[in-house]
Amino acid sequence: MEEIHRTHYNNQINESIIGSNIRIAGWIEDIRDIGNLGFIILRDVTGTIQVVVGKENISLLTDLPRQSSIVIDGIVQISKAKDSSVEVKLKKIETMTKAVHPLPIDPTGRVESASDKRLDARSLDLRNPSVAAIFHLRSISLDTIRNTLKLDRFIEVNTPKIIGSASEGGANLFECQYFKRKAYLAQSPQLYKEQLTLGLDKIFEIAQYYRAENSNTIRHLTEFLSVDIEAAYQDYEDIMKTIEIVVKNVINTVTSSEYFSKCEMSEEKRNKISQIDINKPFNKLRYQDCIDELNRSGEKKEFGDDLSDLDLRKIGKNHQEFFFITDWPLKIKPFYIHEKASNYELSESFDLQYGFLELVSGGRRQHDPVKIKNRLEEQGLSPSSFVEHLKSFNWGMPPHSGCGLGFDRLIMVLTGAENIRDVVLYPRDPDRLNP
Ligand code: AMO
């Protein structure tokens, strides 16, 4: 009978269980046969262990390709190996599935593979501990975000991803056939999250969203994970405070995790991330400060111009850290953003940047339905497409604010990844729909 249940993970094998019979399971990272003795380096999700194969069992080592899945019964013993004080003496080995060589990539990382090849073989790529580390960090970062927000009375919600009309305006929408009607993939939970403040007060959602952005950049995907928050009776300053705490808690989680040291990144990047002073508030630049900074550097920018990728790269060079850009012109912000009480040309809005990279966008929302209708018209959108949304504004909508955090981008920054594709398991871009 096939026995597949392990008694121990590799990192649970230590000197306290010397002499114990154990069953371990994983894949063959390396295998050596030196005549009357053999060695298997067995890796599982927690690390490696050396399995020693005596003369009596050496014949079992034939036809065991690297990366095959195996289950080993053995006895824990003291090891003379340099990097471990314990090893396992093999009693029985069972091959679960043989890896068929040649494999598309070398998951030990000894032979480097192009990014596309790795993404085509992602499940195998994850046997590389430095790649797996990124996804462990994603998982624990999500826990941190949930815990931080829940402690602050936010409740987690789930809104539809198949929707009847656009949430962020018509551009970049993926259309799909919904029986006899047209439907769209949600670009963001914007409208739902605003509506939900009416009865649930403070909410957050962590979910994938879809943007038909036909551009191939290192920071855009057509499917990305967003952390959206929305809170009643809060202004944009409150939301900036909340998101700053969330990001700082994630920085703390990541940098104090064992997986951070397993991530492959330059020492310069590692030091920069681990040396972020989380007691120091993130800097705040106003949009106008950015325009002035660009003009001083020889650009010709006017109030009302959006900040292009090139502009943000220039600004990011002078601010290679987390910082907010606040008080954007109202006319370049979405219809749901609130004007600033002291200057109607400005809005109560912000982005959170890391250098040139935009991580978060948010602000206070307009809650006067008449003003929302005017703003929709100004932006060439039809209020009739938003009736479902607008009706809730007549049911006693509270003033509210919120933001959306691009989770993949945050993980990019914290793991030193150059490309968003490196931190997403199965990235989707205009050219990549598989695996
Ligand atoms: P925005 O469109 O700026 O705002 O998106 C919020 C954040 O999501 C991330 N992001 C992306 N990440 C990867 N690939 C993409 N194609 C992509 N598009 C956006 C960015 C960005 O800062 N509803 C508003 C948020 C709000 O006001 O609450 C919104 O969606 O990090």
Side-chain angles (χ1 to χ4, degrees):
M1 203 185 73
E2 219 178 44
E3 275 294 355
I4 60 167
H5 297 117
R6 46 161 79 87
T7 59
H8 293 78
Y9 279 98
N10 287 344
N11 70 348
Q12 294 171 316
I13 306 170
N14 54 44
E15 288 175 32
S16 74
I17 56 166
I18 299 275
S20 305
N21 283 298
I22 61 167
R23 178 174 300 128
I24 50 180
W27 59 92
I28 301 171
E29 181 155 290
D30 231 333
I31 187 161
R32 268 178 307 140
D33 174 354
I34 54 168
N36 54 2
L37 208 58
F39 299 96
I40 298 171
I41 302 300
L42 177 85
R43 186 180 281 283
D44 70 13
V45 71
T46 66
T48 55
I49 190 86
Q50 172 164 277
V51 179
V52 183
V53 186
K55 199 158 66 188
E56 66 289 359
N57 282 325
I58 211 85
S59 61
L60 299 177
L61 294 192
T62 45
D63 200 19
L64 273 182
R66 286 184 175 79
Q67 300 302 324
S68 299
S69 274
I70 55 172
V71 174
I72 280 180
D73 285 295
I75 300 177
V76 182
Q77 63 182 28
I78 303 264
S79 172
K80 292 194 197 89
K82 269 189 287 185
D83 48 356
S84 172
S85 59
V86 285
E87 62 191 16
V88 174
K89 176 92 200 275
L90 182 119
K91 282 186 9 193
K92 187 176 153 209
I93 179 167
E94 198 155 354
T95 307
M96 296 290 133
T97 48
K98 262 185 201 167
V100 181
H101 286 242
L103 294 170
I105 57 168
D106 172 13
T108 66
R110 273 177 236 143
V111 183
E112 253 185 62
S113 299
S115 168
D116 267 341
K117 273 189 125 184
R118 289 183 31 228
L119 290 176
D120 286 342
R122 188 56 127 175
S123 49
L124 183 58
D125 190 35
L126 292 169
R127 284 190 168 176
N128 181 332
S130 67
V131 177
I134 295 171
F135 297 95
H136 286 284
L137 290 174
R138 274 184 77 108
S139 171
I140 57 179
S141 298
L142 288 172
D143 290 345
T144 298
I145 293 174
R146 288 198 162 92
N147 294 340
T148 307
L149 291 172
K150 285 179 181 175
L151 271 177
D152 196 14
R153 300 183 78 109
F154 282 87
I155 69 162
E156 183 163 9
V157 298
N158 308 101
T159 65
K161 304 299 159 243
I162 307 176
I163 54 174
S165 54
S167 39
E168 296 276 345
N172 303 335
L173 260 181
F174 277 116
E175 209 176 280
C176 56
Q177 195 63 35
Y178 192 72
F179 305 106
K180 293 198 168 134
R181 285 183 285 171
K182 263 192 198 140
Y184 307 94
L185 297 181
Q187 299 156 299
S188 90
Q190 185 62 37
L191 309 186
Y192 293 112
K193 66 175 178 168
E194 287 195 49
Q195 292 165 27
L196 292 173
T197 61
L198 196 138
L200 296 176
D201 198 66
K202 286 165 87 176
I203 55 104
F204 75 98
E205 178 164 19
I206 301 178
Q208 272 132 309
Y209 293 98
Y210 303 90
R211 307 249 171 123
E213 271 165 316
N214 198 358
S215 57
N216 263 306
T217 78
I218 53 133
R219 64 185 195 286
H220 288 96
L221 291 176
T222 50
E223 179 180 63
F224 66 100
L225 192 73
S226 175
V227 176
D228 277 273
I229 71 173
E230 204 68 28
Y233 299 103
Q234 292 212 336
D235 61 22
Y236 75 138
E237 297 278 352
D238 299 317
I239 298 295
M240 278 190 273
K241 273 189 203 133
T242 302
I243 205 68
E244 183 166 338
I245 293 170
V246 166
V247 169
K248 285 178 170 173
N249 284 353
V250 173
I251 294 171
N252 205 16
T253 299
V254 166
T255 53
S256 52
S257 160
E258 57 174 306
Y259 296 110
F260 183 61
S261 51
K262 290 185 183 160
C263 276
E264 229 169 64
M265 65 172 117
S266 69
E267 275 319 292
E268 190 193 339
K269 274 190 181 171
R270 191 183 305 281
N271 291 338
K272 214 166 142 196
I273 296 298
S274 47
Q275 284 163 12
I276 292 171
D277 179 0
I278 55 173
N279 296 312
K280 189 174 154 255
F282 291 162
N283 278 338
K284 282 186 183 142
L285 290 184
R286 288 169 309 144
Y287 160 86
Q288 188 60 48
D289 300 327
C290 297
I291 295 292
D292 294 344
E293 205 172 298
L294 288 167
N295 284 336
R296 278 198 302 276
S297 76
E299 296 273 317
K300 291 207 161 38
K301 284 274 166 186
E302 284 178 14
F303 176 85
D305 291 344
D306 208 346
L307 300 180
S308 66
D309 182 38
L310 219 66
D311 297 334
L312 287 171
R313 282 186 190 268
K314 277 200 165 172
I315 292 164
K317 270 216 168 103
N318 301 333
H319 307 273
Q320 297 182 18
E321 63 211 348
F322 288 98
F323 66 98
F324 288 105
I325 303 178
T326 69
D327 298 16
W328 293 72
L330 183 64
K331 72 168 193 202
I332 58 170
K333 280 287 161 184
F335 67 90
Y336 47 79
I337 290 287
H338 201 288
E339 72 278 358
K340 207 170 155 85
S342 57
N343 179 349
Y344 286 3
E345 290 210 324
L346 295 180
S347 63
E348 295 202 358
S349 62
F350 68 88
D351 283 0
L352 175 66
Q353 300 282 133
Y354 182 79
F356 81 95
L357 188 65
E358 178 198 314
L359 301 175
V360 179
S361 165
R364 177 157 175 193
R365 321 304 189 181
Q366 185 54 260
H367 64 279
D368 174 344
V370 177
K371 284 190 180 167
I372 299 176
K373 274 186 205 150
N374 290 341
R375 291 270 293 138
L376 280 168
E377 274 161 2
E378 269 167 35
Q379 299 200 343
L381 296 165
S382 161
S384 61
S385 313
F386 291 82
V387 278
E388 280 297 324
H389 177 56
L390 289 171
K391 68 186 185 195
S392 58
F393 284 75
N394 290 323
W395 298 337
M397 181 63 85
H400 56 279
S401 302
C403 70
L405 158 77
F407 180 74
D408 311 307
R409 291 189 184 178
L410 178 62
I411 293 297
M412 237 178 114
V413 168
L414 300 184
T415 60
E418 295 290 339
N419 192 319
I420 193 166
R421 290 160 187 77
D422 290 334
V423 302
V424 173
L425 281 174
Y426 296 103
R428 293 288 177 258
D429 66 28
D431 297 325
R432 184 171 279 281
L433 196 51
N434 289 303

